[in-house]
Amino acid sequence: MVKVPANKIDGFLRTLDPSIRSVLFYGPDEGQVRERAKALSVSICPDQDDPFRMADIAPSSLKDDPAKVVDECSAIAFGGGQRVVRISGLTDAQAGPVLKYVTDPIGDSVLIVTAGTLAPKSKLRAAFETTNTAAAIACYPLEGNRLKATLQGAFQSEKVDIDHDALELLASLLADDTASLRSEVEKLCIYALSGDQPISIDDVRKSCGDQSAHTAFELAHAVAEGNHPTIQDITDRLLVSGDNPIAIVRNVSRHFDRLLQARGNADQGAPLDAAIKSLRPPVFFKDAGRFRQQVGLWSSQGLLMAITRLLDIEKSCKTTGSPAAIMLQRGLLEIASLAKRQKNRR
């Protein structure tokens, strides 16, 4: 079976095709990988604590016991019911016993495997995508209209209203981890119970203010202002707390995209304040002064150079053998140096 199309994933998770014996969830959105794997597991076995129908295998155990996958998947549940066998965080290097089972399944258990980002040539990914009794589901961060539609649907299901601009801001804050998205929506819904007005931009800022996404906004400002010490401090904190380097660089990229949009409007003759006010979502009022200074500091050419460098950083984090954290910090510091050169030209 080939990879499951995005528009059919929800139905696939609710009712698994009886011919499917193995399912792989992979991709950079770890929260979405976990959520989807759990949703499928629950649809097969609602009682996730049932020791006779649920089994977990540690990837590290497969080297010494390669037959464990077949043994668990061919076992029959005491009392009946279909078994679920889970392997979390599998890599290509550990995948040998799994590949053997996927191509020649035994028993009626469902094997659920999760993994991180897998290249198109990955042996693990290829096996699940090309075997008739297996399926692969890619989990990438929600972006653009898909992200906003998901957020809007989550609020509607809770019968909570949210302003358009507040929804735009929330989407920019939570664009890279579905797990964070769900928790922030839940928190905002609880927050909304204290009033009878739609959720506003200020509500979103207050609710998300203690989250790493808010700290990432501070990082974006620091990069645009050329503040090397702050960049080093914030990236250290974000990385220690487990934030994804790609998610961090994308947040900075969104900030520079907004700077370029405002700078471009000003270059075409719009007053600077009007150019900034035209942005959607609007600049948070507490950040307006800093944002105005940054637009005044950078030229359109300089912003284009910075955005190009940010794209290079994201690509390096995905494709090179160097640690992503080092690539991230080095690249952001280089852009900060470019900001200082912009100051010298003014």
Side-chain angles (χ1 to χ4, degrees):
M1 183 175 183
V2 297
K3 56 186 177 182
V4 181
N7 63 346
K8 295 184 178 180
I9 291 176
D10 288 344
F12 179 90
L13 298 180
R14 285 194 299 269
T15 307
L16 185 65
D17 185 325
S19 68
I20 299 300
R21 301 268 63 82
S22 309
V23 183
L24 169 68
F25 298 90
Y26 71 94
D29 190 337
E30 297 177 4
Q32 195 174 158
V33 168
R34 291 193 301 270
E35 282 197 352
R36 287 176 167 174
K38 182 177 180 180
L40 177 59
S41 180
V42 170
S43 73
I44 299 168
C45 178
D47 182 2
Q48 294 286 282
D49 295 322
D50 187 336
F52 301 109
R53 295 184 60 189
M54 300 295 303
D56 290 285
I57 299 175
S60 58
S61 68
L62 296 178
K63 182 178 179 180
D64 296 329
D65 189 5
K68 194 169 186 178
V69 177
V70 173
D71 291 343
E72 288 289 357
C73 290
S74 60
I76 299 174
F78 178 76
Q82 192 172 34
R83 281 169 51 84
V84 175
V85 179
R86 299 177 295 195
I87 304 177
S88 301
L90 191 66
T91 65
D92 267 350
Q94 303 163 319
V98 173
L99 299 180
K100 183 177 180 181
Y101 173 79
V102 169
T103 56
D104 186 21
I106 299 173
D108 70 345
S109 297
V110 175
L111 174 65
I112 298 177
V113 178
T114 66
T117 301
L118 298 174
K121 294 183 179 180
S122 159
K123 294 181 295 183
L124 183 60
R125 178 175 166 182
F128 278 82
E129 289 182 347
T130 59
T131 303
N132 290 334
T133 56
I137 295 179
C139 301
Y140 295 104
L142 296 172
E143 295 180 333
N145 291 333
R146 283 185 61 221
L147 172 59
K148 286 182 281 188
T150 298
L151 287 168
Q152 187 68 68
F155 284 114
Q156 288 176 347
S157 67
E158 297 295 331
K159 299 182 179 179
V160 172
D161 293 328
I162 181 169
D163 288 341
H164 173 76
D165 290 340
L167 182 67
E168 292 276 353
L169 175 59
L170 185 61
S172 69
L173 279 166
L174 304 175
D176 297 290
D177 188 341
T178 300
S180 294
L181 183 152
R182 304 298 183 193
S183 64
E184 288 303 327
V185 167
E186 290 175 5
K187 186 163 61 174
L188 274 165
C189 287
I190 294 173
Y191 184 86
L193 294 176
S194 62
D196 56 1
Q197 298 297 318
I199 294 171
S200 66
I201 285 180
D202 198 27
D203 294 333
V204 172
R205 281 284 188 171
K206 289 177 181 177
S207 177
C208 300
D210 61 343
Q211 300 300 310
S212 60
H214 178 76
T215 306
F217 265 126
E218 288 299 314
L219 174 62
H221 283 300
V223 175
E225 293 164 352
N227 189 332
H228 284 79
T230 300
I231 293 169
Q232 189 73 47
D233 176 61
I234 293 179
T235 52
D236 284 344
R237 284 191 281 133
L238 289 173
L239 293 168
V240 166
S241 66
D243 284 56
N244 188 320
I246 294 174
I248 296 171
V249 74
R250 284 179 178 173
N251 188 78
V252 177
S253 294
R254 284 190 289 269
H255 183 75
F256 272 80
D257 287 341
R258 284 163 63 77
L259 289 174
L260 179 60
Q261 184 180 345
R263 181 72 264 167
N265 291 339
D267 289 346
Q268 292 177 8
L272 186 55
D273 288 336
I276 294 173
K277 287 181 180 179
S278 68
L279 296 177
R280 288 294 179 269
V283 177
F284 187 52
F285 72 93
K286 292 182 180 180
D287 295 334
R290 295 178 73 181
F291 194 90
R292 192 184 193 283
Q293 290 178 345
Q294 292 165 24
V295 175
L297 167 66
W298 287 84
S299 66
S300 291
Q301 183 180 6
L303 288 167
L304 285 170
M305 293 173 61
I307 290 169
T308 299
R309 183 70 184 96
L310 286 163
L311 291 173
D312 289 340
I313 296 169
E314 181 174 344
K315 183 178 179 181
S316 297
C317 288
K318 294 177 179 177
T319 60
T320 69
S322 301
I326 295 176
M327 304 298 295
L328 170 70
Q329 288 188 326
R330 182 185 299 163
L332 294 184
L333 291 171
E334 289 174 0
I335 296 172
S337 296
L338 180 59
K340 290 187 175 182
R341 291 198 293 272
Q342 294 284 309
K343 291 179 183 179
N344 294 333
R345 292 172 183 171
R346 293 285 171 177

